[in-house]
Amino acid sequence: MTAAQADLHIDRPEVADGAALWRLAKESGSLDLNSSYAYLLWCRDFAGTSAVARGDDGRPVGFVTGYVRPDRPGTLLVWQVAVDAAYRGRGLAARLLDALTARVAAERDLTAVETTITPGNTASERLFTSFAARHGARVEREVLFATDQFPDGPHDPEVLYRIGPLTDLPNH
């Protein structure tokens, strides 16, 4: 672990972090940007299934947002992952994802992680396939939303990655 990684603290986001999460998503260059209101609401209502990495000054430098699927209470859907450009390439996204899944698994019976990735998003593909490998889980892929299902113009398809079963998390 580098000194820069040691100075990071991963915890739950707070409403006050919403603006910073919005900026990180905007500056990512690859995420679908939601309204700033959505990030504030996310930090209020889904803090328990999301994580933020803070630098030594307390400022968010990365985040993972997620929620537990109502129809599959053992499944955590990861919505967005973003890391400040100055912190990329250091494994922070993987640390955030591991910390979040460990926390959620300690609170409930977590058996799977899902996310969607647009084709060609190599960084996300690597993040989630390496997560599966670290946890000895399979990865299943299928198109969740096709291009023609998006009403607001051209959009790449969203491919669902289902990772599981997870057997080496704290609740197992």
Side-chain angles (χ1 to χ4, degrees):
M1 186 180 301
T2 67
Q5 288 175 320
D7 291 343
L8 296 176
H9 175 70
I10 297 174
D11 64 7
R12 296 172 189 249
E14 300 172 357
V15 171
D17 297 323
L21 271 56
W22 179 83
R23 278 192 294 281
L24 286 167
K26 183 179 181 183
E27 293 168 359
S28 75
S30 61
L31 293 177
D32 285 341
L33 186 62
N34 298 293
S35 71
S36 58
Y37 171 73
Y39 292 91
L40 292 166
L41 204 55
W42 202 278
C43 289
R44 186 192 78 161
D45 293 345
F46 296 104
T49 52
S50 299
V52 63
R54 299 178 191 288
D56 57 4
D57 61 358
R59 182 181 60 89
V61 297
F63 72 85
V64 175
T65 53
Y67 62 89
V68 173
R69 289 191 50 194
D71 62 334
R72 288 191 174 179
T75 299
L76 174 69
L77 184 122
V78 174
W79 188 331
Q80 290 189 319
V81 179
V83 173
D84 184 277
Y87 289 83
R88 291 184 194 147
R90 302 179 190 181
L92 180 54
R95 284 182 58 207
L96 277 160
L97 187 55
D98 285 345
L100 175 60
T101 55
R103 177 168 31 93
V104 172
E107 298 170 356
R108 63 174 52 243
D109 186 23
L110 184 64
T111 58
V113 169
E114 292 181 346
T115 194
T116 62
I117 303 173
T118 55
N121 184 339
T122 306
S124 288
E125 291 169 354
R126 284 187 191 141
L127 173 64
F128 286 95
T129 56
S130 68
F131 172 84
R134 279 193 309 282
H135 296 282
R138 291 186 320 268
V139 179
E140 298 172 1
R141 297 169 186 86
E142 66 180 271
V143 174
L144 181 62
F145 301 119
T147 299
D148 62 357
Q149 290 179 288
F150 291 91
D152 56 347
H155 192 291
D156 289 331
E158 291 285 347
V159 177
L160 177 69
Y161 281 56
R162 181 165 176 75
I163 301 166
L166 299 173
T167 58
D168 68 342
L169 295 171
N171 67 334
H172 296 275

